[in-house]
Amino acid sequence: MTRIPLSLIINGQTHEVLAEPHRTLLDVLRTDLGLIGTKENCLEAECGVCTVLLEGAAVNACILLAAQCQGRAILTIEGLAAPGQLHPLQQAFIDHGAVQCGYCIPGMILAAKAYLDENPEPDENGVREALAGNLCRCTGYQRIIEATLSAARALRASPSSACRETAR
Amino acid sequence: MTFDYHEPTSLREAIELGARFGVDGRFLAGGTDLMVQIHRGRLNPRHVVSLQCVPGLDAIEVDGAISLGARVTHRRIETTTDFQGALRALVEGAEVVGGHQVRNVATVGGNIVNASPAADVVVVLLALEARLTSLGPAGERTIALDGFGTAPGVTVLRPNELLTRASFPRLAPRTATAFLKAGRRRAMEISIACVAARLTLDAALERCQDVRIALGAVAPTAMRARSAERYLEGRPLTDEVTREAGRIAATECRPIGDVRASARYRALLVATLVPRVLARCLERIRFHTS
Amino acid sequence: MTQVTRIVGRSVPRMDAPGKVTGTALYAADFALPGMLYGRVLRSHEPHARLVRLDTSRAARLPGVRAVITAPDVPDVRYGGSVKDERVLARDRIRFAGQPLAAVAATSPDAAAAALAAIEVVCEPLVPVLDVAAALAPGAPLVHEAWASYTALPILHRDRNVCNRARIVVGDVERGFVEADRIFENRFTTSSVHQGYTEPRAAVAQWDSSGLVTVWSNTQLPFEIQTTLAEILQLPPSKVRIIVPGIGGGFGGKLRIGMEHFAALLAMRTGRPVKVMTTSEEELTAAYPRQPAIVEVKTGVTNDGRLTAREARLWFDTGAFAGSGPGVASVATLMLAGPYRIPNLLLEGFAVYTNKTNFGSFRAPSGPQANFAVESQMDIIADALGLDPLELRLKNIVREGEEGPTGQVLTAVGLEECLRRAADAIGWRDRRPRAGRGKGIACGWWTTTGGSSGVYVKINPDGTVALNTGAAEIGTAALTGAAQVLAEDLGVQLADINVVSADTLSTPYDFGAQGSRTAFAVGNACRAAVADLKRQILALASKHLGVEEHALALREGSVVGEGKRTTLGELARISQASGGGLIAHGTFVAPPTPYDAKRVEGHVYPAFHSPSFHAHAADLSVDAETGEITIHRYVVAQDVGFAVNPAAIEGQIEGGVAQGLGQALSEEIVYENGRVLNANLTDYKMPTTLDVPRVESILVQHPTLVGPFGAKGVGEPPNIEPPAAIANAVASATGVRITTLPITAEKVALALRARAT
């Protein structure tokens, strides 16, 4: 099988990979690049654990061909904050007890980020609507919603806290 | 299992590739259906032709007739200012598909050519009397959306043709649209029944001057409820009349029972949702003209 | 009694949260080794068939394929916890659609999938046993013709397709029915639902040159998997090492062997590490989802609402293998009694073989099915007698010091408080505020599973503490809770504790993350370890400081006394230099709960240890035309004994309710002719953010004598009452009683229509 050279801009860094054309971004992230923070489950865009941001928009990496991402900017959970630091969403998820098993959380946080980037003053219903594509089986969502609303407040109060990564 | 990937950069090149691969090829837009079908082993294309670098497929035009490029995403429909008024049904149809992740990539064109009887936006476009434009080696042709799908997953589009846009006429004065769906959950649902309507009232805002009602997930393709439409024309839109329209629509639809719902419940939903959709239209017209 | 505490009783963030929010936490599904192959399992399409031939020759020759194994390549072993009735790969008989027939290992997932497609299966279909009724019919085909010859727990009552009949007999039900003014007989059915963990089951296996196989898997029970895998591989357990790197949810679905045996066998065959991970289709066709159930309840009651007798039977479809079925059928009988004082009981739970997947344990196994039936019936009784459902319950619930159904003496019974507070919170006085809107209540009880736990606790030379436990953290924050107990007792901060867990080679034994027991049992083991450590610490400190032991005290990481002070770190350094370090082995096993053995038969779970009590209340509206249900408010009052970490417990309640509402309203694995119709997450409908209401939690605290600081098990109970609470609220709103789960809009709409005509 022919493999095609791909240049993927992930978390601000360019990664060169050779991949068969049918392979998904999810597979390449996890298998070739070791970026296991992006999770794998249903592979049919139903559960949201593989959510990454493609040019700022939340997408399911499981139904996106890696080839479609040539030269496009991808943000994964690993790039949300500098090493050793936490994005306000990450901090809020910890503080609000929004995490249980945690497997849905990277995708959840990225979906929340995409939403907050466009809607800095969200209400509860808006957050619920924005996260409807991310299944969580542990939490009942309540603390996830609260954490997201709280992170929105923190981001409004101190927008610089997220500047570093949005500049990427 | 595996395929070659192509990324044409012009419509012409896309058509050429489509013509060359014929049934071995598939155009890829958002991939929300194609990639799932491939994952389930139901489709096994040898060539996947991505449309993401083809210019001119993602325009929304609202001067004169309204036109949606094939690659316009659901999310863009939701957020288009021009659709927040009388064309609200488009937004209502788009915003109930999948989650944000799906709507960020799922396209109008993909939704139409997949020919799922439950495709929400297609049902809205049917009520708007949309016509489709396709491009093939023989040039461009237009096809009415009504009749475009012939069975689940089957359309009159030829293998070497590419759907480029869907367009529909501007709405007449005193017109509104609305869309409602039913599913087991409040999100991430494939409709078990959905209804779209475009309603035009007479000058007195009493009687139905013109109406189009489209139904989803209650026949092998999205369908118009023509008997209900005929019944409504010229009648005052009382609760009794709209309920009767619902009953008529319920008798003309041809639902099946499957894992999502029984045929009987689907018909019951049509009977219920038709009057509700009409009531919404009425409310909107009266609100906007008062 | 108010306890003054520093760390327990506080809502501290869970210890593993930072890794989970940054994507660095490692799960079994993420685990990989250099040179690793990818395994896949070929599964039967037929629900019941004679396997004639498997031709793997073409598959074995495909590029990238390194091994194809079928039954003859595997030791001929039948395994199973209560009945040894299952083999790794079908040998000559296929018993469910989804049963493993062969396994392959290849250099890529694609090559493995291609190999599966290239295996030729020839089988002769047999008439399948599709459900419990078919299995119990006279002359029904036997799912296991040789059932009588199987090794099984001697206590089980087995007969043909019934792999256990558990029974509780108290008093004389016939006499009880004679004493009753009214007798109510109702039948309920429930569907199978999947645990829905977001991380698929996964295992990576690697053999070393000594013949030891290490398996990294997301099991909830590493020590049970070690035993089972050793049995399958015909090895001593010491040659099997199970490590749990991390689990993305379990809820009981990851108790029994998952992918570990396939990974181990393929790794043995290829000499390479092999990873096997399930697809969503495999999860929904061939995992351990909740048993579908038929429940018949006959209850006698006096006109003033006193329960005189109950005769109830619950039949579980256990699928092709016994698995958890015999045990779950036993627990079911205690749940059929409910938390009520009923003098005469005849309660039976059956686990019945059919040609379906081996239904298993799902958070409070048997709880929701039995509770849906008995709590629905309580409302039916109340309506018929013209009594308030809350008053009917209060009249009959068990009280402090009374007997449970099998004679156990109940203590720390917080049920009345739960019922009253839930009812107050939901606004019970106005329970039918308008047409189409209504409130429902349901209550229940549950066990805190026993079993033993051991921990090693070590003081590091920098004063930090290592907690080494055999339990896995499955997401409940139970190990954060245990660490809070440890920090509290040892006088250190939570941040000073690091947890090492779930490695059968290096961690002490633990009965595992099941039955709401982890924080309870591991927490108690920590207390025992601290007691030992304190003796060591004080002895050493006394020598070091020259102060008598009785004059010393542990405070904030130090030992102080008579104006002198030394740190735990310093003592650890001294001990390391002179005595091998400060380390203690703490153990705990829940004391047996006395019960009356004469009341039970075929019973593997005759009493509830440190039982918890709970009440749920729902306020909802029903669309009279579409049947759609909108939940406005949902309240849970749960007696948790003592809330070690209130926020974490509320999280358990919120999540358990969400899962319970899925079972109540939208989820079901739909079978047709033995095959699953909805084996994907498009049509298996778990609640989304827009489906789950806010849940209001009320933590009631009636401390047990056994649990750490009085804590009871808390993880499973919130999953029990939602179906009954919703059914009762729907009936209150509409007058329509739905007796089958899930309570879909369709069922409600069609029932409303049927009543109107």
Side-chain angles (χ1 to χ4, degrees):
Chain A
M1 188 65 234
T2 28
R3 294 201 277 177
I4 51 179
L6 295 173
S7 184
L8 305 174
I9 306 163
I10 300 164
N11 303 330
Q13 290 183 326
T14 303
H15 294 257
E16 310 287 344
V17 289
L18 269 179
E20 292 87 346
H22 68 276
R23 291 183 59 210
T24 62
L25 176 64
L26 175 64
D27 182 15
V28 169
L29 286 175
R30 287 173 61 85
T31 309
D32 299 38
L33 302 176
L35 292 169
I36 53 162
T38 307
K39 299 303 181 190
E40 173 178 344
N41 181 19
C42 78
L43 303 179
E44 295 190 346
E46 293 287 353
C47 74
V49 302
C50 66
T51 300
V52 299
L53 303 195
L54 180 64
E55 288 166 349
V59 294
N60 295 118
C62 70
I63 58 159
L64 194 63
L65 295 173
Q68 290 174 276
C69 303
Q70 179 80 273
R72 299 168 81 184
I74 295 153
L75 180 73
T76 71
I77 192 69
E78 289 89 349
L80 186 57
Q85 299 195 28
L86 295 173
H87 183 276
L89 271 163
Q90 293 170 317
Q91 188 65 55
F93 270 57
I94 296 173
D95 295 343
H96 285 260
V99 180
Q100 289 188 27
C101 88
Y103 200 73
C104 72
I105 292 298
M108 196 72 81
I109 286 177
L110 288 172
K113 173 180 161 45
Y115 181 67
L116 294 188
D117 284 347
E118 288 188 357
N119 303 275
E121 296 185 32
D123 59 13
E124 172 170 343
N125 201 53
V127 173
R128 283 188 181 266
E129 208 275 330
L131 300 181
N134 296 75
L135 289 179
C136 169
R137 196 59 159 171
C138 295
T139 65
Y141 305 109
Q142 197 154 315
R143 281 155 207 276
I144 288 172
I145 309 294
E146 285 162 8
T148 304
L149 289 168
S150 157
R153 287 190 293 274
L155 283 162
R156 289 201 300 274
S158 169
S160 61
S161 55
C163 274
R164 184 180 43 257
E165 68 60 44
T166 20
R168 291 179 179 196
Chain B
M1 190 75 221
T2 188
F3 46 73
D4 285 332
Y5 177 78
H6 309 269
E7 209 169 77
T9 52
S10 69
L11 262 179
R12 189 196 156 103
E13 194 191 339
I15 301 301
E16 276 172 15
L17 289 169
R20 192 191 324 156
F21 302 138
V23 293
D24 285 342
R26 282 272 164 174
F27 289 117
L28 171 66
T32 53
D33 187 77
L34 179 64
M35 291 296 290
V36 173
Q37 298 303 330
I38 291 172
H39 179 242
R40 291 187 185 176
R42 292 191 189 147
L43 287 176
N44 193 10
R46 302 284 315 282
H47 299 275
V48 166
V49 180
S50 167
L51 300 174
Q52 69 176 7
C53 293
V54 177
L57 289 176
D58 56 0
I60 295 179
E61 287 165 29
V62 292
D63 308 326
I66 291 126
S67 162
L68 303 173
R71 248 186 51 223
V72 167
T73 63
H74 284 64
R75 194 84 184 116
R76 259 189 78 206
I77 293 178
E78 272 178 85
T79 51
T80 296
T81 319
D82 289 293
F83 299 158
Q84 308 298 324
L87 285 169
R88 181 90 198 140
L90 273 175
V91 176
E92 291 172 330
E95 71 189 4
V96 293
V97 173
H100 278 209
Q101 294 92 326
V102 164
R103 304 209 292 279
N104 278 333
V105 296
T107 65
V108 173
N111 212 353
I112 295 170
V113 299
N114 287 332
S116 159
D120 297 316
V121 166
V122 176
V123 175
V124 177
L125 289 171
L126 196 58
L128 294 170
E129 299 193 290
R131 295 185 67 76
L132 311 176
T133 303
S134 70
L135 190 63
E140 211 171 66
R141 65 173 178 137
T142 61
I143 314 162
L145 175 59
D146 195 9
F148 177 75
T150 54
V154 185
T155 72
V156 300
L157 198 69
R158 297 169 191 138
N160 56 8
E161 279 183 314
L162 174 66
L163 180 76
T164 56
R165 65 179 183 273
S167 27
F168 53 88
R170 284 186 81 77
L171 299 186
R174 302 184 306 279
T175 301
T177 62
F179 171 87
L180 282 173
K181 81 187 261 181
R184 202 175 274 195
R185 294 181 291 194
R186 287 166 197 272
M188 301 299 286
E189 276 293 281
I190 294 174
S191 289
I192 58 177
C194 61
V195 178
R198 186 196 73 195
L199 175 69
T200 306
L201 290 184
D202 65 2
L205 300 185
E206 292 297 330
R207 289 171 185 274
C208 168
Q209 180 174 309
D210 183 52
V211 69
R212 294 292 176 271
I213 297 172
L215 312 176
V218 290
T221 65
M223 64 172 280
R224 285 263 301 277
R226 286 200 159 75
S227 304
E229 292 172 2
R230 273 196 300 276
Y231 167 79
L232 285 166
E233 268 161 40
R235 283 198 154 80
L237 288 162
T238 61
D239 283 356
E240 209 164 290
V241 165
T242 59
R243 285 191 165 276
E244 180 59 18
R247 278 191 287 273
I248 294 169
T251 54
E252 67 186 308
C253 69
R254 291 164 286 140
I256 55 163
D258 63 12
V259 71
R260 293 174 190 148
S262 70
R264 191 170 161 227
Y265 183 54
R266 286 191 156 106
L268 186 152
L269 285 172
V270 168
T272 304
L273 297 183
V274 165
R276 289 185 185 186
V277 159
L278 291 170
R280 283 195 169 201
C281 288
L282 260 182
E283 201 176 291
R284 285 171 187 179
I285 298 171
R286 288 178 177 153
F287 180 79
H288 285 290
T289 46
S290 60
Chain C
M1 177 191 75
T2 311
Q3 305 176 72
V4 180
T5 58
R6 296 177 304 122
I7 296 170
V8 297
R10 290 176 193 267
S11 294
V12 296
R14 57 182 304 131
M15 299 165 77
D16 56 7
K20 288 176 173 178
V21 298
T22 52
T24 52
L26 184 72
Y27 297 81
D30 303 325
F31 195 81
L33 289 171
M36 187 177 82
L37 300 173
Y38 297 86
R40 285 287 301 272
V41 178
L42 178 73
R43 295 177 183 278
S44 167
H45 291 289
E46 290 294 331
H48 193 191
R50 206 168 65 75
L51 181 57
V52 179
R53 194 162 57 88
L54 273 176
D55 186 346
T56 60
S57 55
R58 201 163 66 83
R61 288 194 304 271
L62 288 177
V65 175
R66 295 291 179 263
V68 184
I69 57 170
T70 60
D73 303 314
V74 173
D76 185 14
V77 171
R78 274 200 315 267
Y79 60 92
S82 52
V83 182
K84 295 196 185 299
D85 57 5
E86 182 166 12
R87 286 190 169 95
V88 175
L89 296 166
R91 196 157 277 267
D92 44 23
R93 180 89 167 264
I94 290 165
R95 291 189 170 87
F96 74 97
Q99 187 170 352
L101 306 178
V104 304
T107 51
S108 72
D110 292 334
L116 291 191
I119 298 174
E120 194 193 342
V121 182
V122 181
C123 57
E124 283 171 10
L126 301 168
V127 176
V129 178
L130 294 178
D131 54 29
V132 164
L136 298 178
L142 293 177
V143 175
H144 292 271
E145 271 144 9
W147 67 272
S149 70
Y150 290 170
T151 305
L153 293 179
I155 198 174
L156 303 184
H157 280 245
R158 298 188 300 138
D159 180 21
R160 301 167 61 84
N161 284 333
V162 174
C163 61
N164 190 26
R165 186 206 65 202
R167 178 183 273 176
I168 295 177
V169 182
V170 183
D172 177 350
V173 279
E174 290 312 322
R175 198 184 64 221
F177 288 130
V178 169
E179 287 169 12
D181 295 312
R182 300 278 300 271
I183 292 172
F184 294 83
E185 291 186 71
N186 300 94
R187 185 173 194 271
F188 302 86
T189 63
T190 68
S191 296
S192 180
V193 287
H194 192 278
Q195 293 83 355
Y197 34 76
T198 48
E199 184 206 25
R201 286 174 296 153
V204 178
Q206 183 178 40
W207 293 79
D208 72 13
S209 51
S210 76
L212 175 106
V213 62
T214 302
V215 184
W216 292 263
S217 106
N218 48 19
T219 178
Q220 296 173 236
L221 306 183
F223 289 90
E224 175 172 318
I225 296 301
Q226 178 189 34
T227 309
T228 306
L229 190 54
E231 185 180 5
I232 287 170
L233 298 171
Q234 300 282 281
L235 289 174
S238 59
K239 289 293 185 189
V240 176
R241 178 182 188 184
I242 308 291
I243 300 173
V244 183
I247 310 183
F251 315 108
K254 293 172 178 170
L255 296 178
R256 310 286 171 243
I257 199 150
M259 298 298 113
E260 296 88 354
H261 47 343
F262 301 122
L265 288 159
L266 289 167
M268 181 162 67
R269 175 59 74 99
T270 58
R272 301 261 296 269
V274 176
K275 178 173 188 172
V276 188
M277 183 156 138
T278 56
T279 63
S280 292
E281 183 179 5
E282 286 176 298
E283 284 298 334
L284 287 158
T285 54
Y288 301 105
R290 199 187 287 286
Q291 298 90 354
I294 300 170
V295 196
E296 291 180 358
V297 193
K298 177 180 177 185
T299 303
V301 57
T302 60
N303 282 330
D304 64 351
R306 189 170 49 82
L307 304 180
T308 62
R310 174 170 290 163
E311 180 174 351
R313 289 182 180 79
L314 187 153
W315 292 268
F316 282 128
D317 186 338
T318 194
F321 307 104
S324 305
V328 177
S330 302
V331 177
T333 57
L334 292 166
M335 293 305 284
L336 287 172
Y340 298 114
R341 195 178 343 100
I342 310 178
N344 304 291
L345 293 169
L346 171 54
L347 308 171
E348 292 183 324
F350 299 83
V352 183
Y353 285 129
T354 65
N355 290 119
K356 294 193 196 134
T357 194
N358 177 204
F359 299 103
S361 299
F362 179 171
R363 196 174 194 168
S366 87
Q369 298 105 310
N371 187 262
F372 171 58
V374 302
E375 287 296 284
S376 290
Q377 194 189 50
M378 286 301 278
D379 270 36
I380 290 170
I381 293 170
D383 279 356
L385 298 181
L387 296 173
D388 180 322
L390 174 64
E391 293 306 319
L392 177 67
R393 285 178 173 81
L394 289 173
K395 191 170 280 214
N396 289 285
I397 53 172
V398 289
R399 310 274 170 170
E400 191 70 25
E402 292 184 345
E403 276 189 2
T406 53
Q408 71 178 100
V409 176
L410 301 169
T411 56
V413 182
L415 184 53
E416 176 172 357
E417 185 179 346
C418 289
L419 273 166
R420 290 197 187 279
R421 292 182 69 181
D424 283 350
I426 206 80
W428 186 252
R429 281 169 204 287
D430 187 19
R431 71 189 169 93
R432 287 186 180 113
R434 58 175 168 75
R437 183 163 178 171
K439 298 168 189 176
I441 201 163
C443 66
W445 68 320
W446 189 250
T447 183
T448 307
T449 288
S452 78
S453 286
V455 297
Y456 304 147
V457 178
K458 184 176 74 167
I459 314 281
N460 294 317
D462 61 357
T464 63
V465 179
L467 164 57
N468 185 327
T469 162
E473 172 58 67
I474 65 168
T476 59
L479 292 186
T480 295
Q484 284 178 260
V485 171
L486 174 58
E488 182 76 43
D489 277 5
L490 195 54
V492 299
Q493 297 301 313
L494 190 60
D496 293 331
I497 296 177
N498 289 294
V499 177
V500 179
S501 71
D503 173 350
T504 57
L505 186 64
S506 62
T507 62
Y509 176 79
D510 192 279
F511 188 55
Q514 57 179 334
S516 303
R517 65 176 293 283
T518 309
F520 181 92
V522 180
N524 271 336
C526 285
R527 302 200 85 172
V530 171
D532 180 353
L533 268 178
K534 274 185 175 169
R535 282 190 290 274
Q536 297 180 39
I537 289 165
L538 294 180
L540 194 59
S542 166
K543 220 164 95 188
H544 178 57
L545 297 175
V547 177
E548 290 290 317
E549 277 184 43
H550 63 81
L552 291 170
L554 255 77
R555 200 161 299 145
E556 289 176 20
S558 294
V559 181
V560 291
E562 294 180 1
K564 295 185 181 169
R565 178 178 177 277
T566 181
T567 64
L568 289 182
E570 189 173 9
L571 293 170
R573 287 194 296 276
I574 293 166
S575 175
Q576 284 194 354
S578 61
L582 289 172
I583 184 165
H585 180 201
T587 63
F588 171 76
V589 61
T593 302
Y595 66 99
D596 179 356
K598 291 190 297 298
R599 298 186 186 187
V600 297
E601 282 174 37
H603 218 290
V604 300
Y605 208 111
F608 278 177
H609 313 289
S610 299
S612 63
F613 299 90
H614 2 90
H616 290 210
D619 170 7
L620 54 76
S621 292
V622 178
D623 183 315
E625 291 177 306
T626 63
E628 194 185 346
I629 293 163
T630 303
I631 302 170
H632 305 297
R633 291 184 59 214
Y634 198 99
V635 176
V636 175
Q638 181 169 330
D639 178 3
V640 300
F642 168 77
V644 173
N645 185 326
I649 292 173
E650 286 164 14
Q652 288 302 296
I653 291 174
E654 291 154 16
V657 168
Q659 233 169 8
L661 291 176
Q663 172 161 25
L665 296 168
S666 63
E667 294 179 37
E668 57 183 320
I669 299 178
V670 182
Y671 276 88
E672 186 178 79
N673 296 323
R675 294 188 181 87
V676 175
L677 294 183
N678 56 339
N680 54 64
L681 295 191
T682 312
D683 284 314
Y684 184 76
K685 295 183 184 298
M686 290 185 274
T688 71
T689 48
L690 294 176
D691 298 294
V692 183
R694 282 191 160 268
V695 175
E696 299 159 48
S697 301
I698 299 167
L699 304 185
V700 173
Q701 304 193 50
H702 290 239
T704 68
L705 291 175
V706 182
F709 297 92
K712 299 177 179 178
V714 296
E716 291 169 297
N719 205 222
I720 295 171
E721 287 92 348
I726 293 296
N728 290 341
V730 167
S732 170
T734 64
V736 162
R737 169 66 53 185
I738 305 294
T739 56
T740 67
L741 293 182
I743 302 167
T744 59
E746 167 162 358
K747 282 181 194 167
V748 175
L750 295 180
L752 284 167
R753 181 145 294 217
R755 192 185 55 179
T757 54

